[in-house]
Amino acid sequence: MPAAWTYVGMDILEGTNVDVVGDAHELSSLFPADHFDAVMSLSVVEHLLMPWKVVIELNRVLKVGGIGLFTTHQAWPVHDAPWDFWRFSRESWPALFNDATGFEIVRAEVGEPAFVVAQRCHAVTNFGQQPVYLSSVVMFRKTRDTTLRWDVSLSEIIRSDYPQGEVQVELS
């Protein structure tokens, strides 16, 4: 990273390296327009109820030409339930980062090949040797400002607080 860049850590909860506590769905209320040169999100986007809204908000606070890197899961056990919403394939990223949202994808990949083995194997769940990828990553660039809006707040859709710790999910 260029020496002139500074780091701002943001999370929904207070913690180590967290400078701003806030909701990514409301970035433009937390930061000025065209403020950042780059953004990174590591294993977060699967926990965003409306990732499309976050991308629109990100467009407002990222400078034109700014770059971003998101890493997340293509396949992964449920974690931080009930705030675990999405999984992303390499082909899913253009739904978020596209001309309408003001971005272009530099590169999208999946990695960490694995296999899914069902707890109860039958004709539908016998995946055999078909690979699954544990991770999905996208690098993107802001190409222009967007006029898109998504005026739906998180509280209009979900009423639970973000979990304070790992929530166990029982398989039945």
Side-chain angles (χ1 to χ4, degrees):
M1 288 187 264
W5 282 10
T6 57
Y7 169 84
V8 177
M10 185 187 141
D11 202 331
I12 194 79
L13 299 172
E14 290 183 5
T16 306
N17 293 324
V18 176
D19 303 305
V20 176
V21 174
D23 181 354
H25 295 88
E26 305 297 333
L27 286 172
S28 64
S29 69
L30 299 168
F31 301 103
D34 304 319
H35 186 69
F36 294 105
D37 294 298
V39 63
M40 286 190 333
S41 170
L42 310 175
S43 297
V44 172
V45 71
E46 73 271 17
H47 300 289
L48 301 173
L49 183 63
M50 299 176 285
W52 53 89
K53 178 175 176 140
V54 173
V55 169
I56 293 168
E57 287 289 304
L58 184 60
N59 182 284
R60 288 170 174 55
V61 300
L62 194 62
K63 295 175 183 176
V64 172
I67 57 171
L69 176 73
F70 280 12
T71 66
T72 187
H73 311 297
Q74 200 273 314
W76 203 261
V78 172
H79 57 287
D80 285 336
W83 283 74
D84 187 3
F85 304 111
W86 307 100
R87 297 296 181 265
F88 294 84
S89 68
R90 175 181 25 235
E91 291 75 18
S92 65
W93 293 115
L96 295 175
F97 299 103
N98 55 62
D99 188 56
T101 60
F103 292 98
E104 67 179 358
I105 292 176
V106 175
R107 186 168 179 182
E109 295 293 337
V110 291
E112 301 180 50
F115 294 102
V116 171
V117 178
Q119 190 171 11
R120 286 185 223 123
C121 193
H122 50 78
V124 175
T125 63
N126 182 4
F127 301 115
Q129 297 292 310
Q130 297 178 42
V132 168
Y133 298 94
L134 298 180
S135 65
S136 182
V137 61
V138 63
M139 183 173 216
F140 55 90
R141 180 181 299 112
K142 180 178 172 181
T143 56
R144 65 179 189 84
D145 292 330
T146 186
T147 58
L148 289 179
R149 300 184 58 82
W150 188 266
D151 293 327
V152 178
S153 71
L154 207 59
S155 63
E156 291 176 62
I157 297 173
I158 195 165
R159 303 270 186 252
S160 70
D161 291 329
Y162 190 82
Q164 297 292 316
E166 192 69 24
V167 177
Q168 299 297 317
V169 177
E170 253 186 68
L171 299 175
S172 53

